[in-house]
Amino acid sequence: MVGFKATDIPPTATVKFLGAGTAACIADLITFPLDTAKVRLQIQGESQGPVRATAGAQYRGVLGTILTMVRTEGPRSLYNGLVAGLQRQMSFASVRIGLYDSVKQFYTKGSEHASIGSRLLAGSTTGALAVAVAQPTDVVKVRFQAQARAGGGRKYQSTVDAYKTIAREEGFGGLWKGTSPNVARNAIVNCAELVTYDLIKDALLKANLMTGSCPPFSAWVPGTW
């Protein structure tokens, strides 16, 4: 902004929240085919016996999976569940990353010197909270990625239909299947990612290897340079 230095106007919690979600959505648009390939490889052989699943695997490797899907289902199949995926990133990353600084300040009661314990607590809190909020979108995303377009046996016709169908057939709790292991996983991942980032940033600033100014994308990650 003209007339102000980057350090004069630190990004607000809202800017961090929206910035983190927007950045995650952009990343998801680019990497979604890889995520879809991962899901197909993970569920391969689920409905077959162990012998058949090993002998006649449909997908082999990431590139082979992508090429097979394009050939048998069309290029659009690589983006099955994209809408739910973007919904997930906007809710998941916004909470996980965008609220990290605010939660850390809450635990440190506004102190400028946050202990490692406070940072770990903030990372695990936002990681777990993000999963609790975004789990339904993750369930729908994976269900879409898992269903093949070929053969006309698609169970879910749209994102809204998927939410309704899962809630109707499996109960409201069906949208939160797998929440417990996902909470544990993301609490750990969030601590490893954000606390490491936080500590390295502080070390660089204390060693005067970086200035207090921040790059344009700094609002997408916790803290400001």
Side-chain angles (χ1 to χ4, degrees):
M1 184 178 294
V2 178
F4 293 95
K5 295 180 180 180
T7 52
D8 291 336
I9 307 179
T12 63
T14 302
V15 170
K16 293 176 185 178
F17 185 87
L18 295 177
T22 302
C25 285
I26 294 173
D28 210 35
L29 283 170
I30 298 171
T31 62
F32 203 80
L34 295 174
D35 191 41
T36 301
K38 178 206 71 173
V39 171
R40 290 294 181 93
L41 285 169
Q42 286 177 322
I43 67 169
Q44 183 166 242
E46 186 180 78
S47 58
Q48 300 176 341
V51 177
R52 285 187 58 195
T54 304
Q58 182 181 1
Y59 306 118
R60 296 184 183 277
V62 176
L63 182 59
T65 301
I66 291 175
L67 293 176
T68 299
M69 290 182 64
V70 170
R71 185 175 67 253
T72 60
E73 303 175 46
R76 291 183 59 187
S77 65
L78 296 174
Y79 284 90
N80 277 350
L82 178 62
V83 173
L86 295 179
Q87 291 173 347
R88 175 184 179 274
Q89 292 297 349
M90 201 65 206
S91 53
F92 179 74
S94 295
V95 174
R96 184 176 77 91
I97 300 176
L99 294 184
Y100 171 77
D101 268 348
S102 298
V103 174
K104 182 177 68 174
Q105 290 173 5
F106 171 77
Y107 284 132
T108 58
K109 295 179 170 48
S111 173
E112 294 183 1
H113 305 287
S115 65
I116 294 180
S118 297
R119 299 178 201 222
L120 289 172
L121 193 57
S124 59
T125 298
T126 56
L129 182 61
V131 171
V133 172
Q135 186 67 12
T137 61
D138 195 30
V139 171
V140 170
K141 176 186 77 75
V142 172
R143 296 286 182 94
F144 261 105
Q145 289 174 315
Q147 71 175 4
R149 286 177 177 269
R154 301 183 66 198
K155 183 175 182 179
Y156 310 114
Q157 303 305 316
S158 68
T159 304
V160 174
D161 177 60
Y163 286 115
K164 291 180 178 179
T165 301
I166 294 172
R168 182 176 64 251
E169 295 182 356
E170 305 172 37
F172 196 65
L175 292 169
W176 270 270
K177 282 186 174 179
T179 298
S180 296
N182 214 10
V183 165
R185 174 185 178 274
N186 279 284
I188 296 171
V189 168
N190 216 39
C191 284
E193 289 181 353
L194 301 191
V195 175
T196 300
Y197 161 85
D198 223 2
L199 292 173
I200 292 175
K201 181 191 73 174
D202 283 353
L204 291 174
L205 290 175
K206 288 177 182 178
N208 294 320
L209 297 177
M210 298 289 291
T211 64
S213 59
C214 54
F217 55 83
S218 64
W220 301 351
V221 292
T224 56
W225 292 93

